[in-house]
Amino acid sequence: MDADYVTDLVELYGKAIYGFCYNLTKDKNDADDLYQETFLKGIKLCHKIDKNNNPKGLLISIAIGIWKNNRRKYVWRQKIAPLQEFNEEIYNEYISNDEMSIEDIILSNELRLFIQDAANRLNSKMRIPLYMYYTADMSIKEIASALKIPQGTVKSRLFKARKELKDILELEAGNYERF
């Protein structure tokens, strides 16, 4: 792989991979770091990246590996010296449409946060394929390849994730309407 190929990968899949990194980390700075580490590791593993064999899936699987490793390190550090988080950043990347009114933007942002919060409650086995499918815009075959699981397992996890998400949203919407 040369610099041009890396540039092509960033142009082709950068936005999808960044969105996926953000959904995993839920923090802009952490997403920036994960995105950068993913492409740096991609450069190191350039001999494994094949243009014709799902390069986005390989980059997503690299991001997942780095994220899991960072989480393990974070949990270990928390056991040694716990930290409190003060970062409550609002994610406004999806709202950039100039045609929307301020009210529509606020409602859309609240709905997105509501759904994102519900998705974050899913366990990682369900959440990761869901994010790969919807935010990284990957096919079931690409997800199966990246996670090294059968396509049927991916379909099953997506089905269960959607069902759990629907249940959570219906429960939350029911609780919200009571007030």
Side-chain angles (χ1 to χ4, degrees):
M1 180 193 321
D2 59 1
D4 292 336
Y5 185 59
V6 173
T7 303
D8 291 344
L9 289 176
V10 170
E11 287 178 13
L12 283 172
Y13 308 119
K15 190 172 183 177
I17 291 173
Y18 184 80
F20 182 76
C21 291
Y22 185 84
N23 283 319
L24 280 180
T25 61
K26 296 160 192 56
D27 180 75
K28 185 179 180 334
N29 294 328
D30 291 342
D32 291 345
D33 291 343
L34 181 58
Y35 177 77
Q36 193 171 34
E37 285 180 50
T38 300
F39 277 101
L40 287 174
K41 194 164 184 176
I43 291 170
K44 289 179 185 173
L45 299 173
C46 64
H47 59 281
K48 291 186 176 180
I49 297 177
D50 180 13
K51 285 183 195 180
N52 304 320
N53 194 13
N54 193 11
K56 183 167 82 174
L58 179 64
L59 292 169
I60 292 283
S61 66
I62 289 170
I64 291 169
I66 293 169
W67 175 72
K68 284 182 177 178
N69 196 23
N70 288 344
R71 279 188 53 197
R72 239 180 277 125
K73 289 177 184 176
Y74 178 77
V75 169
W76 180 251
R77 279 189 224 121
Q78 287 295 325
K79 287 180 182 176
I80 296 170
L83 297 172
Q84 288 185 336
E85 286 193 33
F86 296 104
N87 191 4
E88 296 280 333
E89 232 174 81
I90 297 175
Y91 178 58
N92 291 322
E93 184 175 309
Y94 292 116
I95 300 171
S96 61
N97 190 348
D98 294 333
E99 297 175 5
M100 295 175 72
S101 69
I102 298 292
E103 184 178 344
D104 290 340
I105 291 172
I106 291 170
L107 290 173
S108 176
N109 194 23
E110 284 183 13
L111 181 62
R112 186 190 48 75
L113 289 173
F114 186 62
I115 293 170
Q116 176 102 32
D117 182 52
N120 291 339
R121 293 186 204 167
L122 301 174
N123 71 32
S124 62
K125 280 189 175 182
M126 306 294 171
R127 191 177 61 235
I128 289 174
L130 194 71
Y131 286 158
M132 292 171 86
Y133 189 78
Y134 288 108
T135 63
D137 200 26
M138 295 175 70
S139 69
I140 290 173
K141 184 178 180 182
E142 291 171 333
I143 295 169
S145 172
L147 296 177
K148 297 178 178 72
I149 56 176
Q151 290 183 33
T153 305
V154 173
K155 289 178 187 175
S156 172
R157 288 182 184 176
L158 283 173
F159 177 78
K160 288 178 185 173
R162 288 180 193 125
K163 185 176 181 325
E164 284 185 36
L165 194 58
K166 181 181 173 189
D167 291 344
I168 292 170
L169 291 173
E170 285 177 352
L171 181 67
E172 293 292 323
N175 289 338
Y176 185 73
E177 289 176 2
R178 288 182 193 159
F179 294 106

